[in-house]
Amino acid sequence: MARRSVLSIRIVEGRNLPAKDITGSSDPYCIVKIDNEAIIRTATVWKTLSPFWGEEYEVQLHPTFHSISIYIMDEDALSRDDVIGKVCITRTMLAEHPKGYSGWVSLSEVDPNEEVQGEIHLRVELLEGGQRLRCTVLEARDLAKKDRNGASDPFVRVSYNGKTQESTVVKKSCYPRWNEAFEFELPDPPAEKLCVEVWDWDLVSKNDFLGKVVVSVQGLQAAEHQEGWFRLQPDTAKHRENRRQGSLGSLQLQVRLRDETVLPSRCYQPLVQLLCQEVKARHQAGGVHLVTLLDETTTAECRQDVAVNLVKLFLGQGLVKEFLDLLFELELAKPCEPNTLFRSNSLATKSMESFLKVTGMQYLHAVLGPTISRVFEEKKYVELDPRKVEIKDVGCSGLHRVQTESEVMEQGRQLLQSYLGELLDAISKSAPTCPPVIRAAFRQLFQRVGERFPQHQHTQFVAVTSFLCLRFFSPAIMTPKLFHLRETHADARTSRTLLLLAKAVQMVGNMEPAAGRAKEEWLAPLQPALQHGASQMRAFITRLVGTEEEEGGERWLCAPRTAVVKEGLLFVHKTRGKGPLLASASKKLHFCLTSEALSFSKSPGAERCGSIALANIRAAEKVEEKSFGSCHVMQVVYVDEAGQQETVYLQCKCVNELNQWLSALRKVCGNNPQLLHAYHPGVFRGDKWSCCHQKDRMGPGCGQTRHSITLQDWSDPLQPDVEAQRLFQHLHGLQQPLREKYWELMEAGGPQNGPRGCGEGSPLPLALRRLFEALQDLERCHHQLPPATPALLELQT
């Protein structure tokens, strides 16, 4: 059993941001922090006060997380980046919107007294028959970094009944250990609150607030003592009158939190087996298929999520080809016209779209990557619309002349035609490298449409391109950042070129370029290239669906593979220890993470220097900034061949790459039986750990590991139990709508039959009865679970 909290967040755009640069604009980007730990950094949008990001992320969180903060920053090449403002969303706020929150949120000013993080370990007890109060401050962890060296110099201030005592200062540590006790006399009646504050000591400037804990003495009298880790809280009493409200702009967000309890696999078997049997049984004449009921009762807002769950579930069961074929059959059984086929957002179209993203992202990158990179690097001006053409000077110094509109448009046509030709050539040659599971799905689709519209052979080709071009290639061309084709968003000029290229690919995909010019006549000069492209696309689809694979697509996908999960160059920090990485003469190595090992070589494609088996990895965590002067360093803790625990420190180029590596390592090692529960965020240098100053190199860690925090992606390993749990959550709320839709379809004669005269008193079909029984059994399993125990004690305030 596993408890999960999954956060879906889409950062759409900002508006009315304040100008931070002398040009009267800003270069904004967003940092997303979970409990003050940076998880995501969006791309920078240059020179604007109304940036558009449109970036979407899914993060698996620790179930006890408290808040999400989104900071809008202004990037500065010469000095430290400026903070424009932030939005803070607590777990309580998300719980009030179970279907998610979507809308504009005003940015608030960042208050240092609210920027607290971490926990403190306290023991509070009554002595001498309740006459004295003792507070023992043991240690703290994950405190905020207030000094330039990437650490703090924390001390504790304990206050009770008007008296204050202070601890010693622990220099350069966010994981201090005090183990100091403070005693106070209890008055009669006793004062109500004991306050423990943590501060960062500064020699010259004012001390910085790091957080506080307030304990109720009245509650302590009932228990006599209390010990545990307490979360540090901000000082809300210091309200600043001059705080600006509504003057920092606003941010449009879409946020949703799902709390999931994933049961053991055996609990989901009745539901999974039922769905598999329904797919294998196909559509029976005279009845209503369970998938039809699911399609009819699923609302548009959650159809995408349900489609992803179903696709991944059937991929794990080796039945994705049969599932998609059933969807095609049910969709084609509806009244439809050849020219509108698969243009709606039905379960069939959403499932096929999700299927392409889950199984075809590497293929997409191979086909589109070179052309997209060329467009970004050349930054050429491309425009065919006479209403938007910009006339500019051309020629060398002293011989300037103004280009005519026709010259600008002709140059744009030639460039766009060149990009389109390069892209279509890449698509044409890609049929053999297209994943077999995708080829098998398109082959089925091609055959089904041919059987449904035997007089319209052209429709077979358009059915394939409606998914491949309109729902896969074109969106990736328009927004390559969202498909991980680029690390940054395109500027205005490049974005316009990509939009025109995406339009051209859509028109080629329609297989009738002339029809696409009805509303945009200015695309007429591109007509010969579009016609040639349509013939290329037709030939490509013929090859794509024409040859049966030796192995079924679903077996190819689910067979054990050593596919590359992530690879790239990382800087190796040399520290005391053993192992092939630490003995290597090179400091920068090419790392490759597969489903078997983390291996490394001197360069891409070079002979492997060594590897660490995934089974030997115990943790993958961040490293304190002060350890190596960088906040983009991670550590991989592993056991060598002799059984000795070793740690390698690897530096990434940015926070996004750091979190992607951590996420990938945590996913492939998630089932390792001996994962660490604590680790050292610092490095052992000299005779002690830089984080907590412990002198024992093999001593227990001072920080909690974060195995459960990962970034979700289309290429994640299949997790059938997770998909089954999400389907259960969806279906559990649909039992009455499913029942009502069944009677409605049967009264109407079902999909293809005449009136049947059934009513609520008639028995439900076997499949629907079995579905309700499986859902009720799962509901009972959830009710029998023990309640979740919090990782931190509740504050008594």
Side-chain angles (χ1 to χ4, degrees), residues 14 64 94 227 465 485 525 682 690:
T64 58
L94 289 173
E227 180 179 348
T465 58
L485 283 160
S690 63

Side-chain angles (χ1 to χ4, degrees), residues 295-570:
D295 187 12
E296 294 284 343
T297 53
T298 301
T299 60
E301 63 181 358
C302 59
R303 192 169 289 139
Q304 178 74 57
D305 292 337
V306 173
V308 172
N309 301 151
L310 287 168
V311 165
K312 288 189 173 182
L313 179 74
F314 287 116
L315 277 169
Q317 298 297 318
L319 289 172
V320 70
K321 184 172 72 172
E322 289 79 0
F323 170 63
L324 293 172
D325 191 33
L326 173 63
L327 290 176
F328 299 151
E329 181 183 1
L330 294 172
E331 186 81 0
L332 290 167
K334 302 175 184 177
C336 56
E337 296 294 330
N339 58 339
T340 60
L341 191 59
F342 297 119
R343 297 303 172 99
S344 65
N345 288 323
S346 64
L347 185 62
T349 55
K350 286 296 183 183
S351 295
M352 188 63 180
E353 183 180 325
S354 302
F355 165 74
L356 289 174
K357 289 180 179 178
V358 171
T359 60
M361 291 299 278
Q362 290 184 348
Y363 169 68
L364 179 83
H365 285 212
V367 173
L368 301 186
T371 304
I372 297 297
S373 296
R374 180 187 164 196
V375 172
F376 268 80
E377 291 163 6
E378 292 183 350
K379 295 186 181 299
K380 297 289 187 180
Y381 180 68
V382 176
E383 187 54 77
L384 300 182
D385 188 348
R387 297 168 299 177
K388 298 182 179 180
V389 169
E390 298 177 5
I391 308 300
K392 58 181 179 178
D393 292 346
V394 295
C396 59
S397 177
L399 296 175
H400 288 292
R401 71 175 181 86
V402 178
Q403 274 188 314
T404 65
E405 181 181 287
S406 60
E407 287 177 328
V408 174
M409 292 173 62
E410 175 58 22
Q411 286 183 1
R413 182 196 65 79
Q414 292 178 5
L415 279 168
L416 189 59
Q417 189 168 314
S418 173
Y419 295 141
L420 180 62
E422 179 183 308
L423 189 59
L424 291 174
D425 286 343
I427 293 173
S428 297
K429 296 174 183 177
S430 70
T433 60
C434 182
V437 68
I438 294 180
R439 298 185 66 179
F442 278 132
R443 186 178 302 115
Q444 291 176 152
L445 174 62
F446 194 82
Q447 293 171 353
R448 286 286 181 189
V449 174
E451 295 168 359
R452 175 67 173 82
F453 299 103
Q455 306 301 320
H456 300 84
Q457 292 186 0
H458 175 73
T459 307
Q460 292 175 280
F461 294 90
V462 176
V464 175
T465 58
S466 66
F467 290 112
L468 195 60
C469 293
L470 275 64
R471 293 177 181 264
F472 197 39
F473 287 157
S474 288
I477 294 169
M478 283 191 287
T479 52
K481 170 70 170 68
L482 305 186
F483 285 76
H484 308 298
L485 283 160
R486 301 292 296 184
E487 292 185 359
T488 60
H489 289 292
D491 56 28
R493 172 177 289 190
T494 305
S495 182
R496 178 62 178 171
T497 303
L498 293 173
L499 176 62
L500 293 173
L501 182 58
K503 280 179 176 287
V505 171
Q506 286 180 350
M507 294 171 69
V508 169
N510 288 331
M511 308 296 285
E512 292 181 355
R517 288 193 296 110
K519 295 181 180 179
E520 297 170 329
E521 296 182 356
W522 44 269
L523 286 172
L526 210 60
Q527 185 65 17
L530 296 176
Q531 289 178 339
H532 178 65
S535 62
Q536 279 184 287
M537 187 63 67
R538 190 180 186 93
F540 163 71
I541 294 171
T542 302
R543 291 194 298 273
L544 189 72
V545 303
T547 306
E548 289 284 349
E549 301 296 325
E550 293 182 3
E551 286 188 285
E554 70 282 358
R555 288 195 296 275
W556 167 85
L557 188 79
C558 298
R561 295 173 291 152
T562 56
V564 174
V565 177
K566 186 168 179 60
E567 60 181 333
L569 289 171
L570 297 172

Side-chain angles (χ1 to χ4, degrees), residues 632-645:
H632 305 145
V633 180
M634 67 176 177
Q635 58 178 300
V636 180
V637 184
Y638 66 99
V639 176
D640 63 15
E641 295 179 355
Q644 286 290 108
Q645 183 173 297

Side-chain angles (χ1 to χ4, degrees), residues 14-18 72 84 104-108 246-251:
R15 66 183 178 192
N16 301 328
L17 302 183
I72 296 189
I84 295 175
W104 289 91
V105 184
S106 295
L107 296 176
S108 61
S247 62
L248 300 176
S250 54
L251 182 65

